[in-house]
RNA sequence: GGGCGGGUAGCUCAGCCGGUAGAGCAACGGCCUUACAAGCCGUGGGUCGCAGGUUCGAACCCUGUCCCGCCCACCA
C-alpha cells in the first residue's frame, strides 16, 4: 500500500489486500481484559447464525452489514469489541436438502444408508457450506473474530446443549407427552407451528351421511356431517351435536342483533341477511337438532360407514348449530379441535391414529390400509357415493398448512413428543443458579416477558411496536415442542422404559447407577407429569433418565440399556441450541475446559484476565430481522435468564427486509434472490454496503428492483415487469423469465437444463459505486496536492473563511452521523457524511481552494495560505475516512494508507489521534469547530454564486466566457458578498465585479433578485427571454404574496399562531413585496 | 377473522411531537473546466391513496374507506 492511488477506482484491486492487512494485524480479535469489564467499555454482538443449508443471500448481507457497521463503529470508539461468528446446523432444513440430493443423485432414502452414514454425509455438506459462508462474509468485510468461530453442533456448543437440557429436565421444565402435532409426512417428523405456512387451496366440503343405529320411530335414519378431509372419517370417534341448540342459536341471534344495532349504515345489509338466515334456521333446523341432542343424551349410536364401526352420538359445544348440518364428526387424533372434544369425553371415546408416519393409512383402516392419504380420500369418496352415502359436494376455499421444508401438506398427528414447559409453575423457577444473579421467576415465558416489559431488553428503532408482539407471543405460554424425528441434530440424552405396574419398576430402580451429578431420573405418566423415583406409583408409567455429560453416554448408556431402557431416537429442535448461542459460544458451562479447536481462542481465564463468558456475557446488541423475533430472540432471552440469571443482550436492532421490485420477499426458491457475491463482483463490496446502509431507514421494508441482462439479446430486463416462463404442464415457472425485448425465455438460477441463464443484479448499487468513485477521486486530488505534509499547530482564527466554514460543517456532519447511529438510523448517518463530503467538501471547498494551491510559492503569504489549505484538506480527508469507515471499510482503508504515508501527523490546533489502520483509528470526537454565524454568511455567499451561475446558464453562456457582474442592494447585505468576492469571481468566472449600493447595471445584462440583492450579469441579454422569465417569476411571487396576505389578514391566525410563526410570515410578506418591486423595475428597464 | 406496517416526483425512499413539499436515481438543457463524464453547472416535475372531521392552518392529528405487504388465529 504505497505509492500513489491508481488513477481509476477499481475495488477489485485492493479488496483482497485490505482484508489481509486486517487479518494480519488481528484487528478483529476480541481479547478479554479486566479493565474493560464495565458494560459501557464492552461491545458484544452475537451473529444470527446462518444455516448451513446453502449460501448467503441479500437478506444475510443486510444482517451482516448492519452488525459489521455497529461493530466497527464501537471498535473505533475504543470499546472492547466481540462480534461472535458461527453457523447453525439447522436440523430439518439441512437434513431435507441432503436427503433430497441423495434421492436425486443416487435414488436412495435415508433408511437405505442408515443413521450413521446419513449424518456423515450431512457433516460433509456442512463443511462445504460453512467454508463458503465464511468466504462470503469475508468478502463482505465482516469484522467478526474468526478465532472464535462456532457451530451449533461442535463440541463447545454441544456441551452447553447437554447442560441446559439436564438443568431443564432436572427442574421438570422438560417433559414428554402425547400431543397432537403438525406432522410432515415426507420428512416424517413433527414440525413446529412456526415451520408451517398456510396456502389457499381450492377444496371441497364433502357432506356425508352416517346411518343411525336402530333409530326410534320419528328419529332420522341418517345424520349428515361435512368434512374437507373425508379420509379422516376412518378415525372418527363420534358425531357431536350441541347440547342446547336452541339456546345456542338464540344467543347467536342476540349477538347479531346487537351487532346490527351498532353497525354503520353500509354494514347493515350483510348483517341483516345473516340475521335472517339465523332466524330461518332457528325454525327449520333447530327442532331436528334438539331431537338429535336428546338422542345423544339417550345414548344413540351411529354406524360409521365403510368401517361398520359403531360410534356414539355425543353432546359437545364444539358443534355449532349455526353451521352446516349442525353436526360435526369427531376425529380426535387428526384435528386439534376434535382432540379437545376427546379430552372432554375421554371415557366414552376412543382415539384412533389412522396414519403411518409416511402419510399412508395404517392397519386400523381395514380395506384402505396402505393407501396414500390422497388416494384414500378419492377411494373413500367414491365408495361412499356408491353406497349412496355422499349427500352432496360443495366447493370450498381453504387455508391448508404446509411444511416449510418439504412443501407438503402437514397432517395433525398424535404422537409422543418432548416439550419445554413455558407456563408458570408451582413454586416458581430458579434462574441463574450458581451465578451471582440468581433469582426466582414465575415460569420460563414469564421471565422473558418481564425483561422486555421493564426495559432490560429494548427494541430499536421502534421499541413500542415490537414489544407488544414479543410479549403477546410469549404470553400464550404454549409449551414448546423440542423433539424432532430426525437424525441430524443433538440427540435427546434421555433413556426410558415403560412399565405396566410398580413392582417391575422397583426392581429396575434399585439398580440405577447412583450418580446424582451425572444422572437425573423421573417417573412420568402419559400426560408428562413427572414424579420422584421414590414416589408411590400405581398403573402404567415411564422411567426417564437424563444423562448429563456426553462423555458418559457410552458408559451410563450401556448400564441403562442393560436395565431395559432405550435411548430416545429423536433429536432436538434446532432452535434449542440457537437459544443458547449467546453463552454456549463463550464456553458455558465450563470455560476452562471448553473443547475448542486447534488454533482457536482459549475461552477460560488466563494471564489474570477474565474468561470469555465473564467478559462477554451479557452481550450488547442483537441484530436481526423481525421474522425471528419470537422463534429465536424470545428464546434466547428466556434461556439467558434461566441459565445465566441475566438477559443475553440489552438492545435488539430489528432491520428492514429487502423485497424485490414487486414488493415480494426475496428468496432463492422464488427465483428473485440476489447473491451478494454477484453484486460485489459487479459493483464492489463498498458499493453494496453503501446501498444496504442507505436502505436502512426506519423499520420500513425496502424494494430493490431486480434486473438481468437477457442472455439471448443482451437487453436489460426488469424482472419486476417481465413475465415468467411456462412449465410443460402450462403452469407459471417462477425460475424463468421471458425477455421483454426478444420474448425468449431464460433462467436466473442456472438450474434449468439446456436453457440459457442470466445473473440477477440491481442497478441501485450503481449509486454506491458512484459515491465510492467520487471519494476515490477526491482523495486523489487531496493527496496530489498534499505532497509530504508536516504538522504545524494552527489557530482557528488564522484560517481563511472557507477553511473555518469547512471545519464547522465537518463538525456538524460528525455530530449528525454519530447521533443517527445512536438512533439506529444508518441511512441518516451515511447521508450526513456523504452530503458533507460531496456537496460541501467537493462541490465547494475543493473548488474554492484550487486558486490557493496553484498560487503556492508566488509569495510568502500565498505559500502560507496554501500550507493552511493543505493541512485543512488532510484533516478533512482524515475525518471523512474515519466517518465513512464503518459503512465502507475497504476503500477508506485503502486511501488511509496513502494518507498516512504522505501526512503521518494531521490536525489543526493539535494532532489527531494516529493509527496505522483506519479500522483501528479513533472515531472522531466532538471539536470546537462549529461556527453557525459563519455558516449562515457562507450560505448566503453560495446563494449569490449559484444565482450568477443560473443567469449564465439561462442564456447558454459558455462556461469559459468571462463576464462582467454587478451586485447592488443595502450595505449590510453587500458586506457578505464583498467578503466572498474572490470566491464569487472564481466560481462564477467573472471578468469584473462591482459591489455597491448604487452599482451600475452592465450593458445587455441578465438579472436576478435574491432577497434584497439585485444581481446583473452583462453581455448575455436576450430581451424577449428575459422579459418572459421576469414575468414568470412575478407570477410566482404574486401567488406567495396572496397566500401570505391572506394568512396575515386572518384574525384567527394572528391571535392563535405563535409569535415567531407570525413574524416569519410578516418577514416573508415584506421580502416578497420588495422582490416584486425589483422585478417591476427590471421589467421597466427592459422597455 | 384479529393485529401491525405501508400507499408522498417516472423509480427507491426521507419528511409525520401541524406553520411556504425533500434527496438520490431517471428526464431535459449546457459543459471532456488538468480529482472525478461513474463527473461538473443549471432546469423541469408532486391537489402527499380517497372521503370526511379537528384546527387560524393538515402530508403530518382523529374517523371512515380502498389498495399492498407482514404476523397471528381459524374455518366440521
Amino acid at each position: 500500500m504505497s505509492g500513489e492511488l491508481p488513477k481509476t477506482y477499481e475495488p477489485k484491486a485492493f479488496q483482497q489486500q485490505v482484508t489481509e492487512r486486517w487479518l494480519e494485524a488481528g484487528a478483529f480479535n476480541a481479547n478479554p481484559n479486566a479493565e474493560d469489564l464495565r458494560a459501557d467499555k464492552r461491545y458484544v454482538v452475537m451473529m444470527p447464525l446462518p444455516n448451513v443449508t446453502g449460501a448467503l443471500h441479500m437478506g444475510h448481507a443486510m444482517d451482516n452489514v448492519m452488525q459489521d457497521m455497529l461493530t466497527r463503529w464501537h471498535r473505533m470508539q475504543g470499546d472492547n469489541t466481540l462480534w461472535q461468528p458461527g453457523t447453525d446446523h439447522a436440523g430439518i432444513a439441512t437434513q431435507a436438502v441432503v436427503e433430497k440430493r441423495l434421492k436425486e443423485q443416487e435414488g436412495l432414502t435415508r433408511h437405505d444408508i442408515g443413521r450413521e452414514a446419513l449424518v456423515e454425509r450431512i457433516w460433509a455438506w456442512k463443511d462445504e457450506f460453512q467454508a463458503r459462508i465464511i468466504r462470503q462474509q469475508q468478502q463482505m468485510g465482516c469484522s467478526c473474530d474468526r478465532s472464535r468461530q462456532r457451530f451449533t453442533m461442535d463440541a463447545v456448543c454441544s456441551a452447553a446443549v447437554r447442560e441446559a437440557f439436564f438443568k431443564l429436565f432436572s427442574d421438570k421444565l422438560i417433559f414428554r407427552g402425547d400431543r397432537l402435532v403438525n406432522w410432515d409426512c415426507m420428512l416424517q417428523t413433527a414440525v413446529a407451528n412456526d415451520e408451517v405456512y398456510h396456502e389457499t387451496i381450492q377444496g371441497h366440503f364433502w357432506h356425508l351421511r352416517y346411518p343411525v343405529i336402530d333409530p326410534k320411530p320419528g328419529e332420522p335414519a341418517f345424520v349428515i356431517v361435512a368434512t374437507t378431509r373425508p379420509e379422516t372419517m376412518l378415525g372418527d370417534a363420534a358425531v357431536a351435536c350441541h347440547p342446547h341448540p336452541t339456546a345456542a342459536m338464540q344467543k347467536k341471534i342476540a349477538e347479531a342483533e346487537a351487532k346490527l344495532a351498532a353497525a354503520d349504515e353500509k354494514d347493515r345489509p350483510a348483517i341483516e341477511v345473516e340475521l335472517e338466515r339465523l332466524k330461518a334456521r332457528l325454525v327449520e333446523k333447530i327442532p331436528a337438532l334438539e331431537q338429535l341432542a336428546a338422542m345423544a343424551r339417550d345414548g344413540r349410536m351411529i354406524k360409521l360407514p365403510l368401517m361398520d364401526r359403531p360410534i356414539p352420538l355425543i353432546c359437545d359445544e364444539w358443534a355449532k348449530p349455526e353451521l352446516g348440518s349442525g353436526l360435526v364428526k369427531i376425529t380426535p387424533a387428526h384435528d386439534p379441535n376434535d382432540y379437545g372434544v376427546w379430552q372432554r369425553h375421554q371415557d366414552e371415546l376412543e382415539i384412533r391414529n389412522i396414519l403411518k408416519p409416511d402419510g399412508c393409512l395404517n392397519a386400523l383402516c381395514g380395506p384402505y390400509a396402505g393407501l396414500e392419504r390422497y388416494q384414500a380420500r378419492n377411494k373413500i369418496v367414491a365408495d361412499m357415493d356408491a353406497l349412496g352415502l355422499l349427500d352432496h359436494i360443495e366447493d370450498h376455499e381453504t387455508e391448508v398448512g404446509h411444511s416449510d421444508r418439504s412443501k407438503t401438506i402437514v397432517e395433525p398427528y398424535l404422537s409422543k413428543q418432548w416439550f419445554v414447559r413455558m407456563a408458570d409453575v408451582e413454586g416458581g423457577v430458579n434462574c441463574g443458579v450458581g451465578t451471582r444473579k440468581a433469582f426466582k421467576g414465575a415460569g420460563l415465558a414469564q421471565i422473558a416477558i418481564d425483561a422486555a416489559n421493564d426495559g432490560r431488553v429494548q427494541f430499536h428503532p421502534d421499541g413500542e411496536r415490537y414489544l407488544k408482539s414479543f410479549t403477546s407471543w410469549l404470553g400464550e405460554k404454549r409449551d414448546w415442542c423440542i423433539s424432532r424425528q430426525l437424525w441430524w441434530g443433538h440427540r435427546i440424552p434421555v433413556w426410558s422404559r415403560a412399565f405396566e405396574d410398580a413392582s417391575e419398576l422397583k426392581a429396575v430402580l434399585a439398580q440405577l447407577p447412583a450418580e446424582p451429578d451425572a444422572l437425573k431420573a423421573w417417573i412420568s405418566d402419559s400426560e408428562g407429569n413427572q414424579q420422584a423415583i421414590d414416589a408411590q406409583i400405581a398403573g402404567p408409567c415411564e422411567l426417564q433418565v437424563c444423562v448429563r455429560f456426553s462423555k458418559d453416554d457410552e458408559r451410563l448408556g450401556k448400564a441403562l440399556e442393560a436395565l431395559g431402557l432405550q435411548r430416545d431416537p429423536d433429536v432436538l429442535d434446532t432452535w434449542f441450541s440457537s437459544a443458547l448461542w449467546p453463552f454456549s459460544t463463550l464456553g458455558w458451562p465450563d470455560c476452562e475446559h471448553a473443547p475448542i479447536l486447534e488454533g482457536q481462542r482459549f475461552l477460560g481465564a488466563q494471564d489474570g484476565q477474565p474468561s470469555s463468558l465473564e467478559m462477554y456475557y451479557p452481550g450488547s446488541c442483537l441484530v436481526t430481522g423481525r421474522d425471528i423475533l419470537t422463534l429465536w430472540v424470545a428464546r434466547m432471552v428466556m434461556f439467558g435468564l434461566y441459565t445465566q440469571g441475566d438477559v443475553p443482550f440489552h438492545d435488539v436492532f430489528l432491520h428492514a427486509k429487502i423485497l424485490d421490485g414487486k414488493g415480494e420477499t426475496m428468496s432463492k426458491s422464488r427465483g428473485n434472490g440476489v447473491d451478494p457475491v454477484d453484486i460485489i463482483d459487479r459493483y464492489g463490496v463498498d458499493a453494496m454496503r453503501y446501498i444496504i446502509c442507505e436502505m436502512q431507514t426506519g423499520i420500513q421494508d425496502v424494494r430493490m428492483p431486480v434486473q438481468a441482462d437477457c442472455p439471448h439479446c443482451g437487453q436489460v430486463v426488469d424482472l419486476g415487469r417481465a413475465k415468467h416462463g411456462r412449465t410443460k404442464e402450462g403452469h407459471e415457472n417462477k425460475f424463468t423469465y421471458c425477455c421483454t425485448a426478444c420474448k425468449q425465455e431464460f433462467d436466473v438460477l442456472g438450474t434449468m437444463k439446456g436453457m440459457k441463464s442470466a445473473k440477477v443484479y440491481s442497478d441501485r448499487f450503481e449509486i454506491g459505486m458512484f459515491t465510492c468513485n467520487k471519494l476515490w477521486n477526491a482523495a486523489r486530488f487531496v493527496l496530489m496536492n498534499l505532497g509530504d505534509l508536516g504538522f504545524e499547530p494552527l489557530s482557528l482564527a488564522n484560517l481563511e473563511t472557507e477553511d473555518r466554514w469547512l471545519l464547522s460543517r465537518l463538525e456538524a456532519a460528525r455530530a449528525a452521523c454519530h447521533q443517527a447511529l445512536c438512533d439506529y438510523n444508518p441511512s441518516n448517518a451515511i447521508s450526513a457524511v456523504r452530503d458533507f463530503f460531496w456537496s460541501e467538501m467537493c462541490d465547494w471547498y475543493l473548488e474554492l481552494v484550487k486558486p490557493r494551491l496553484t498560487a503556492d510559492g508566488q509569495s510568502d503569504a500565498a505559500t502560507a495560505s496554501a500550507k493552511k489549505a493543505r493541512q485543512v484538506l488532510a484533516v478533512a480527508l482524515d475525518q471523512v475516512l474515519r466517518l465513512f469507515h464503518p459503512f465502507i471499510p475497504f476503500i477508506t482503508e485503502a486511501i488511509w494508507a496513502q494518507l498516512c504515508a504522505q501526512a503521518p501527523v494531521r490536525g489543526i490546533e493539535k494532532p489527531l489521534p494516529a493509527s496505522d489502520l483506519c479500522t483501528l483509528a479513533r472515531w472522531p470526537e466532538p471539536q470546537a469547530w462549529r461556527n453557525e454565524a459563519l455558516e449562515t454568511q457562507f450560505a448566503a455567499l453560495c446563494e449569490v454564486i449559484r444565482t450568477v451561475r443560473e443567469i449564465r446558464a439561462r442564456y447558454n453562456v459558455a462556461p469559459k466566457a468571462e463576464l462582467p457582474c454587478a451586485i447592488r442592494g443595502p450595505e449590510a447585505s453587500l458586506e457578505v458578498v464583498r467578503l466572498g468576492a474572490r470566491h464569487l469571481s472564481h466560481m462564477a468566472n467573472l471578468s469584473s465585479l462591482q459591489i455597491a449600493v448604487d452599482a451600475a447595471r452592465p450593458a445587455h445584462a441578465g438579472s436576478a433578485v435574491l432577497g434584497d440583492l439585485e444581481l446583473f450579469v452583462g453581455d448575455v441579454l436576450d430581451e424577449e427571454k428575459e422579459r418572459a422569465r421576469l414575468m414568470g417569476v412575478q407570477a410566482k411571487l404574486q401567488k406567495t404574496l396572496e397566500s401570505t396576505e391572506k394568512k396575515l389578514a386572518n384574525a384567527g391566525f394572528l391571535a392563535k399562531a405563535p409569535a415567531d410563526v407570525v413574524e416569519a410570515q410578516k418577514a416573508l410578506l415584506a421580502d416578497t413585496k420588495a422582490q416584486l418591486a425589483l422585478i417591476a423595475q427590471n421589467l421597466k428597464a427592459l422597455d
Side-chain angles (χ1 to χ4, degrees), chain A residues 687-704:
Chain A
M688 182 186 79
R689 294 178 55 120
Y690 182 93
I691 294 304
I692 284 177
C693 292
E694 199 194 47
M695 287 194 295
Q696 180 58 44
T697 56
I699 198 99
Q700 174 64 12
D701 285 343
V702 63
R703 287 183 188 211
M704 196 179 91

Side-chain angles (χ1 to χ4, degrees), chain A residues 403-418:
Chain A
S403 166
D404 193 35
R405 290 304 155 193
S406 67
K407 313 293 173 197
T408 56
I409 294 176
V410 294
E411 294 289 336
Y413 186 83
L414 188 69
S415 59
K416 255 192 185 354
Q417 303 290 342
W418 289 95

Side-chain angles (χ1 to χ4, degrees), chain A residues 157 469 543 1067:
Chain A
C157 294
S469 70
L543 173 63

Side-chain angles (χ1 to χ4, degrees), chain A residues 631-795:
Chain A
L631 286 186
W632 190 44
V633 182
R635 286 166 180 166
M636 276 192 287
V637 172
M638 191 170 82
F639 278 0
L641 286 161
Y642 172 66
T643 62
Q644 314 298 317
D646 201 350
V647 293
F649 34 73
H650 301 288
D651 297 298
V652 179
F653 174 25
L654 296 166
H655 59 244
K657 194 161 151 181
I658 299 181
L659 310 173
D660 72 1
K662 293 181 204 160
E664 289 177 6
T665 304
M666 275 194 175
S667 73
K668 280 250 151 100
S669 57
R670 289 183 197 230
N672 60 359
V674 178
D675 186 340
V677 172
D678 289 345
I679 298 299
I680 291 172
D681 283 345
R682 197 177 178 108
Y683 302 99
V685 55
D686 289 318
M688 182 186 79
R689 294 178 55 120
Y690 182 93
I691 294 304
I692 284 177
C693 292
E694 199 194 47
M695 287 194 295
Q696 180 58 44
T697 56
I699 198 99
Q700 174 64 12
D701 285 343
V702 63
R703 287 183 188 211
M704 196 179 91
V706 175
Q707 297 95 40
D709 293 330
C710 173
H712 304 286
C713 69
Q715 195 72 31
V716 177
V717 180
D718 179 349
L719 299 188
R721 291 178 218 281
K723 288 197 171 117
H724 285 291
R726 297 265 153 198
T727 60
K728 270 175 264 167
E729 294 81 35
H731 298 123
E732 194 170 70
N733 184 348
K734 291 203 163 175
F735 308 119
T736 69
Y737 290 89
C738 296
C739 175
T740 36
C742 71
K743 309 292 177 207
Q744 292 188 78
E745 191 176 356
F746 62 90
D747 145 55
V748 290
L749 289 176
T751 53
M752 308 291 295
K753 279 186 193 123
M755 189 182 290
K756 282 195 174 179
S757 75
K759 270 192 179 167
V760 169
Y761 62 94
S762 172
D763 59 13
R764 278 203 62 182
F765 294 102
E766 277 186 359
I767 298 160
M769 190 175 66
F770 295 164
T771 308
C772 291
N773 180 61
K774 186 75 179 176
L775 177 60
W776 187 261
N777 283 295
R780 278 183 57 234
F781 175 80
V782 171
L783 293 169
M784 190 179 289
N785 283 287
L786 231 43
D788 287 327
L789 182 72
F791 169 77
E792 260 173 51
L794 296 174
S795 102

Side-chain angles (χ1 to χ4, degrees), chain A residues 713-886:
Chain A
C713 69
Q715 195 72 31
V716 177
V717 180
D718 179 349
L719 299 188
R721 291 178 218 281
K723 288 197 171 117
H724 285 291
R726 297 265 153 198
T727 60
K728 270 175 264 167
E729 294 81 35
H731 298 123
E732 194 170 70
N733 184 348
K734 291 203 163 175
F735 308 119
T736 69
Y737 290 89
C738 296
C739 175
T740 36
C742 71
K743 309 292 177 207
Q744 292 188 78
E745 191 176 356
F746 62 90
D747 145 55
V748 290
L749 289 176
T751 53
M752 308 291 295
K753 279 186 193 123
M755 189 182 290
K756 282 195 174 179
S757 75
K759 270 192 179 167
V760 169
Y761 62 94
S762 172
D763 59 13
R764 278 203 62 182
F765 294 102
E766 277 186 359
I767 298 160
M769 190 175 66
F770 295 164
T771 308
C772 291
N773 180 61
K774 186 75 179 176
L775 177 60
W776 187 261
N777 283 295
R780 278 183 57 234
F781 175 80
V782 171
L783 293 169
M784 190 179 289
N785 283 287
L786 231 43
D788 287 327
L789 182 72
F791 169 77
E792 260 173 51
L794 296 174
S795 102
L796 211 53
N798 281 342
L799 296 177
E800 305 290 340
T801 319
E802 64 269 24
D803 299 339
R804 285 183 287 133
W805 170 79
L806 185 79
L807 293 173
S808 180
R809 295 304 306 148
L810 171 60
E811 170 56 19
R814 192 223 101 247
C817 174
H818 189 78
Q819 187 57 49
L821 286 175
C822 292
D823 297 341
Y824 293 91
N825 191 327
S827 180
N828 281 354
I830 201 170
S831 298
V833 184
R834 190 212 101 104
D835 290 350
F836 165 75
F837 161 69
W838 201 318
S839 308
E840 301 184 311
M841 180 169 160
C842 291
D843 289 353
W844 290 98
Y845 187 75
L846 294 188
E847 295 305 326
L848 288 172
V849 94
K850 275 178 182 173
R852 283 165 70 190
L853 295 169
T854 23
D856 190 8
Q858 287 173 8
S859 68
D860 286 353
T863 304
S865 173
K867 171 83 170 70
K868 278 189 270 185
R870 283 204 291 269
Q871 222 165 305
V872 172
L873 282 172
V875 167
L877 180 60
D878 171 296
Q879 299 286 289
V880 162
L881 292 176
R882 293 185 206 232
L883 290 171
F884 262 142
H885 184 79

Side-chain angles (χ1 to χ4, degrees), chain A residues 54-265:
Chain A
L56 303 185
H57 52 69
M58 227 46 217
H60 293 107
M62 167 62 86
D63 195 49
N64 282 317
V65 169
M66 287 301 114
Q67 291 169 77
D68 189 57
M69 183 205 71
L70 289 173
T71 304
R72 286 179 186 269
W73 176 47
H74 279 273
R75 192 182 288 119
M76 289 177 81
Q77 290 176 83
D79 291 344
N80 189 317
T81 300
L82 163 63
W83 182 12
Q84 171 70 50
T87 48
D88 192 310
H89 67 281
I92 188 168
T94 316
Q95 182 169 328
V97 171
V98 174
E99 274 194 70
K100 195 175 160 209
R101 256 166 59 119
L102 186 66
K103 184 90 197 169
E104 282 171 4
Q105 297 183 351
E106 300 171 48
L108 299 172
T109 69
R110 65 169 148 164
H111 301 287
D112 295 330
I113 64 169
R115 186 164 188 153
E116 224 167 284
L118 183 83
V119 168
E120 203 172 292
R121 281 176 192 245
I122 305 177
W123 272 105
W125 173 278
K126 172 259 165 188
D127 288 340
E128 184 189 333
F129 275 87
Q130 179 170 299
R132 181 156 168 207
I133 287 166
I134 292 174
R135 264 201 316 278
Q136 284 182 302
Q137 289 178 335
Q138 203 164 70
Q139 279 185 278
M140 290 194 272
C142 295
S143 65
C144 44
D145 183 352
R146 289 292 166 198
S147 72
R148 294 170 177 271
Q149 180 83 25
R150 294 263 74 85
F151 174 58
T152 46
M153 269 171 64
D154 68 16
V156 177
C157 294
S158 296
V161 166
R162 291 296 287 258
E163 181 67 10
F165 191 98
F166 185 77
K167 268 177 88 72
L168 287 159
F169 184 83
S170 301
D171 285 346
K172 293 191 191 176
L173 293 169
I174 283 181
F175 66 93
R176 181 149 85 158
D178 278 313
R179 299 289 175 93
L180 207 56
V181 294
N182 302 302
W183 189 262
D184 182 325
C185 297
M186 183 163 151
L187 296 167
Q188 301 185 30
T189 177
V191 289
N193 281 346
D194 328 295
E195 293 163 325
V196 172
Y197 66 95
H198 293 267
E199 231 172 54
T200 307
I201 301 277
Q202 289 300 330
H204 308 280
F205 264 138
W206 283 274
H207 296 256
L208 307 177
R209 292 187 197 174
Y210 288 4
V212 176
I213 298 174
D214 300 331
K216 294 192 175 155
E219 288 181 357
F222 294 100
V223 295
I224 295 178
V225 291
T227 179
T228 55
R229 294 182 299 154
E231 68 280 10
T232 62
M233 70 170 285
L234 303 179
D236 279 358
V239 169
C241 173
H242 196 281
H244 312 290
T246 313
M249 203 62 193
Q250 279 164 345
K251 194 170 160 223
K252 275 273 155 199
I253 289 170
E255 279 170 16
E257 278 169 344
K259 199 171 155 198
L260 183 66
D264 284 335
E265 205 48 53

